[in-house]
Amino acid sequence: MKEKLPDLRQRGGADTYARHDARPPSQTYENVDGQLLEVKPCYNDGINLHANDGTPQEHRGVAAVHSTHDKRRDMPHVQQKRPSTGPRSGGSSVGSLIGKGMRRLNKSYQTEDTGASRDLTARAVAQDQSWEHEIHRLRAVINSQHEEIGVMSSRLQAEELNNKKLRESMNKMILAMESKDLFVGRQSTDDTVSSRFGQLLGQVKTWSVPFAENDRALPLADLPDTTKTMLRRILPNTPSSDLSRRSRPSPKVIRLLVRGLVSLGITEMLFRTLPTPSQPEPPANDAWVDKELAQAIHLVEMRFFGADPKAISLREFHDWRALSTNLASKQGVSNKSDKSSEAHIRNCMAQIFAAVVPFAPERRRAQLEHDLFGILHQAVELSQMLRCQRACWSVRHVVPPPSSSFDIPLLLNEFTMEDIDGDMAGGDDLASTAKKTVSIVVSPALFKRGNTDGEQFDVETCVVKAEVNARPPARQASSGRH
């Protein structure tokens, strides 16, 4: 008689299985892949599963306790298990069913995997073809752009070559306009003229250095009358009583006096300057041509300069002057036997050196006289260049003659004069600068009228200011005038 199994639902285990000997029934099967499967039995339409010991059990001899009342809702539970070394039990019918189910399931998975793989492969191939097409398109665009860049580079090189040719043509035109070779000869720029003028004044400054070494310089009262006359031109605010003092000037003052005397002699003996309202006296003759030609140029130039401006305009006058002086300079260069220019330079040198020799050291007088001749020769060359310019250049002393009258003191003019000892950082302002009086005129000023185009001859500008030594008004007030 069959033994009734105890009710195991009170133990509370879900899906808990039991036998009369309390051994959980199970069965091991081999699937299609050769793996061993363990099947736990449950109620399933009366199908009887085999236990591990090979003893078949029917559903009436096995009690299954579930947490729910529906015993037919659960299906066999399949777990993988390592191969058992014991003997395999029966139940081939159940194993074949499970094997068929597993094979069908694997085929279904394989079919799904194959379809998904084919889909992914197809999409990858399509994407690869799309990228390949895009790469070919971009390469075509790059090649087209490279060709366009090459064409643009060729055009740029051609334009640069054309611009270079245009610049060269413009430079040639500018040089041709500035040189005026077809009309008045080569013209110099303002910078060139200013540089040549500054070099000349710099040589005079260097030449005056040895005069500060003379500790036996004569007092101003013992100077020759010719020297005193020139000193009045460079000492415009110095009373006559000061020139009669027996005291010797300081080395610095001696240098400034020597520079002023040499600059004054060069300005009025070697540079020809047309009359101005402040200096109406006839100018000196040109020293770079022979005497007869210089007198002829002077005569015609003064005749045209004083003519009616309606008959001969300033432009026509200066065009004639520039052309005539250029032709005269070429004639002077070709006539090498003419020594009148050198004789004129030596005559001027003698007068200038006589004015400064009282301040010169005796042991260096010969060398100073020799060096002075070279300076005067360069001054003549600069005078020739200025006379051949279409613009009207002039080198003028800022103290016009006669300088013997001291009715009005000469004040510092900031437009035409520069104080060599001025120090704006030391307290000088515009008000005090305007009231300064000139004590020593050291160098002349360089002026210009008109331009290379033959225009604006009615406007005069100071290109290089005259160097002066000025004194504050307080010091000037303390010294009386006689």
Side-chain angles (χ1 to χ4, degrees):
M1 186 154 182
K2 297 182 179 178
E3 184 180 358
K4 185 177 180 181
L5 297 176
D7 190 3
L8 302 178
R9 289 179 293 179
Q10 296 179 357
R11 298 184 180 181
D15 298 328
T16 304
Y17 302 91
R19 284 182 56 202
H20 65 280
D21 55 355
R23 295 178 61 186
S26 63
Q27 188 66 37
T28 303
Y29 299 96
E30 183 178 0
N31 64 357
V32 294
D33 295 330
Q35 297 178 347
L36 297 181
L37 303 177
E38 180 183 3
V39 179
K40 294 181 179 181
C42 65
Y43 287 99
N44 188 7
D45 296 332
I47 297 176
N48 199 14
L49 302 180
H50 294 272
N52 291 332
D53 56 359
T55 305
Q57 299 290 337
E58 297 182 357
H59 66 279
R60 63 178 180 272
V62 179
V65 181
H66 301 274
S67 60
T68 61
H69 298 284
D70 189 0
K71 298 181 180 179
R72 298 178 59 87
R73 65 179 183 85
D74 294 327
M75 297 297 293
H77 179 65
V78 181
Q79 294 183 350
Q80 294 186 359
K81 182 179 180 182
R82 294 182 179 274
S84 176
T85 56
R88 295 187 179 182
S89 61
S92 58
S93 60
V94 176
S96 62
L97 290 176
I98 295 175
K100 290 181 181 179
M102 295 301 298
R103 284 193 295 270
R104 291 178 182 177
L105 183 61
N106 290 336
K107 287 182 180 180
S108 176
Y109 288 157
Q110 291 177 0
T111 303
E112 292 179 359
D113 293 342
T114 303
S117 300
R118 290 178 181 176
D119 187 26
L120 291 176
T121 303
R123 283 188 290 179
V125 171
Q127 186 69 28
D128 184 67
Q129 292 177 353
S130 175
W131 287 347
E132 189 71 21
H133 177 72
E134 184 68 16
I135 290 173
H136 286 300
R137 187 186 68 83
L138 292 177
R139 287 178 179 175
V141 172
I142 292 173
N143 294 334
S144 176
Q145 291 180 351
H146 280 307
E147 293 178 358
E148 186 176 357
I149 290 174
V151 174
M152 297 288 290
S153 299
S154 301
R155 291 180 180 177
L156 179 60
Q157 293 178 358
E159 291 295 333
E160 289 179 350
L161 182 60
N162 293 334
N163 291 336
K164 182 179 179 180
K165 292 180 179 179
L166 289 175
R167 286 195 297 267
E168 291 177 354
S169 300
M170 292 178 61
N171 292 334
K172 291 180 180 179
M173 292 177 60
I174 292 174
L175 291 176
M177 293 179 63
E178 290 181 351
S179 63
K180 309 290 183 181
D181 286 334
L182 298 178
F183 182 48
V184 295
R186 180 171 296 276
Q187 301 294 289
S188 301
T189 62
D190 293 359
D191 293 338
T192 302
V193 176
S194 301
S195 178
R196 290 279 300 272
F197 184 72
Q199 291 176 3
L200 177 63
L201 298 181
Q203 291 182 357
V204 174
K205 181 178 181 180
T206 304
W207 182 80
S208 65
V209 171
F211 287 84
E213 303 174 0
N214 186 14
D215 54 355
R216 293 185 176 182
L218 294 177
L220 298 181
D222 297 340
L223 296 176
D225 293 338
T226 55
T227 304
K228 290 183 179 180
T229 302
M230 296 182 66
L231 283 176
R232 291 181 180 275
R233 297 288 307 279
I234 66 174
L235 301 173
N237 295 315
T238 301
S240 301
S241 59
D242 291 348
L243 296 178
S244 302
R245 290 180 180 179
R246 305 294 301 178
S247 59
R248 290 186 177 90
S250 64
K252 179 181 178 181
V253 174
I254 290 177
R255 283 195 60 192
L256 296 179
L257 292 177
V258 170
R259 291 174 59 186
L261 292 173
V262 175
S263 299
L264 177 62
I266 291 176
T267 301
E268 298 192 346
M269 296 180 187
L270 300 179
F271 284 96
R272 178 176 173 84
T273 301
L274 296 177
T276 61
S278 59
Q279 296 182 358
E281 289 77 12
N285 291 340
D286 292 307
W288 43 272
V289 294
D290 59 90
K291 187 176 181 179
E292 291 80 6
L293 184 57
Q295 291 178 352
I297 293 176
H298 172 75
L299 179 62
V300 178
E301 189 174 25
M302 290 296 97
R303 182 74 59 87
F304 290 163
F305 184 76
D308 187 2
K310 295 182 180 179
I312 301 178
S313 64
L314 289 176
R315 178 172 183 172
E316 293 174 340
F317 167 75
H318 288 289
D319 286 345
W320 170 87
R321 173 190 54 78
L323 178 60
S324 301
T325 51
N326 269 281
L327 295 176
S329 64
K330 295 178 181 179
Q331 190 273 341
V333 171
S334 61
N335 188 7
K336 301 199 181 282
S337 60
D338 189 6
K339 302 296 183 180
S340 61
S341 178
E342 183 178 353
H344 183 71
I345 295 176
R346 292 194 178 276
N347 184 24
C348 295
M349 182 189 66
Q351 299 181 39
I352 295 174
F353 195 73
V356 299
V357 71
F359 304 104
E362 294 183 2
R363 66 182 185 278
R364 305 191 62 175
R365 289 181 180 179
Q367 184 64 37
L368 290 172
E369 186 176 7
H370 178 270
D371 295 341
L372 181 60
F373 179 81
I375 295 175
L376 298 184
H377 193 274
Q378 292 188 12
V380 171
E381 293 178 352
L382 178 59
S383 175
Q384 179 181 356
M385 185 186 73
L386 297 181
R387 288 282 287 163
C388 295
Q389 302 301 307
R390 196 177 191 184
C392 182
W393 292 88
S394 59
V395 179
R396 296 201 304 266
H397 194 68
V398 294
V399 181
S403 60
S404 58
S405 61
F406 298 97
D407 297 334
I408 300 176
L410 181 64
L411 300 179
L412 180 65
N413 187 347
E414 60 179 2
F415 298 103
T416 60
M417 304 176 189
E418 180 181 3
D419 186 7
I420 58 177
D421 291 336
D423 185 9
M424 296 300 294
D428 290 349
D429 53 10
L430 294 178
S432 61
T433 300
K435 296 180 181 180
K436 282 185 175 182
T437 58
V438 177
S439 58
I440 304 175
V441 180
V442 181
S443 66
L446 178 64
F447 298 90
K448 177 187 177 184
R449 284 181 177 270
N451 51 36
T452 56
D453 295 330
E455 300 175 350
Q456 300 180 357
F457 285 104
D458 56 338
V459 179
E460 183 178 65
T461 57
C462 181
V463 180
V464 180
K465 297 180 180 181
E467 293 182 344
V468 300
N469 181 263
R471 293 181 297 182
R475 295 181 58 185
Q476 177 66 19
S478 61
S479 61
R481 298 185 61 88
H482 301 281

